[in-house]
Amino acid sequence: MPPKFKRHLNDDEVTGSVKSERRNLLEEDSDEEEDFFLRGPFGPRNDKIRHVQNQVDEVIDVMQENITKVIERGERLDDLQDKSESLSDNATAFSNRAKQLRRQMWWRGCKMKAIIVLVAVVLLLVIIVPIVLKYHT
């Protein structure tokens, strides 16, 4: 069976009663702990707490940025290390190829000198043999 005196309260009535109850509670002698719970985190002591909390939040933000920068720096260092290793490998390959090419060119030069000497000997023989044969007979 529903209650006989059921009445619906609107928001203004509820808010007004909460404020009046709070006022009644604050007017009586209360200690700091009760004030904190009734008034919320306001007041000179809590301003200091809020100030310190803001400083802590700022430090946390700075540290997060620093950690992000360190991670990015580590990634860049890894990339740089990979590039330097690649460059070192390329330099070693270039050095080996240069030595090989130098040997090839040395042998080619030796072959050219040998051919020139052979041609000179053949020319001398072509010139000297008929002269020797002419004077010899």
Side-chain angles (χ1 to χ4, degrees):
M1 178 173 191
K4 289 183 181 181
F5 300 107
K6 185 172 183 181
R7 177 180 141 190
H8 295 286
L9 299 174
N10 62 22
D11 289 338
D12 292 335
E13 291 174 335
V14 172
T15 304
S17 66
V18 169
K19 287 181 182 176
S20 66
E21 183 66 28
R22 180 179 284 175
R23 196 176 317 112
N24 290 338
L25 287 172
L26 289 176
E27 286 174 359
E28 294 177 10
D29 199 18
S30 63
D31 62 355
E32 248 181 72
E33 234 176 84
E34 290 175 355
D35 287 345
F36 176 78
F37 289 111
L38 294 174
R39 292 185 182 167
F42 302 109
R45 180 174 178 206
N46 294 321
D47 286 342
K48 289 179 185 178
I49 292 173
R50 194 175 318 118
H51 178 69
V52 170
Q53 184 64 43
N54 289 339
Q55 287 179 337
V56 168
D57 291 342
E58 289 175 12
V59 169
I60 289 172
D61 291 341
V62 169
M63 290 305 296
Q64 287 175 344
E65 289 176 19
N66 289 344
I67 289 171
T68 303
K69 288 178 183 178
V70 166
I71 291 171
E72 290 172 357
R73 181 177 177 259
E75 291 171 355
R76 287 193 310 258
L77 286 175
D78 289 342
D79 291 344
L80 187 59
Q81 184 177 3
D82 292 344
K83 288 178 183 178
S84 68
E85 288 174 1
S86 174
L87 186 60
S88 175
D89 293 342
N90 288 340
T92 303
F94 177 81
S95 176
N96 291 338
R97 180 71 179 125
K99 287 178 186 175
Q100 184 182 16
L101 186 60
R102 188 181 316 125
R103 285 187 201 118
Q104 285 178 349
M105 296 307 290
W106 184 81
W107 278 112
R108 187 176 287 171
C110 287
K111 288 178 188 176
M112 287 300 286
K113 288 176 186 174
I115 291 173
I116 290 173
V117 168
L118 185 64
V119 168
V121 168
V122 169
L123 281 175
L124 286 174
L125 286 177
V126 168
I127 294 173
I128 294 178
V129 169
I131 294 177
V132 170
L133 289 177
K134 187 176 181 184
Y135 286 117
H136 191 35
T137 46

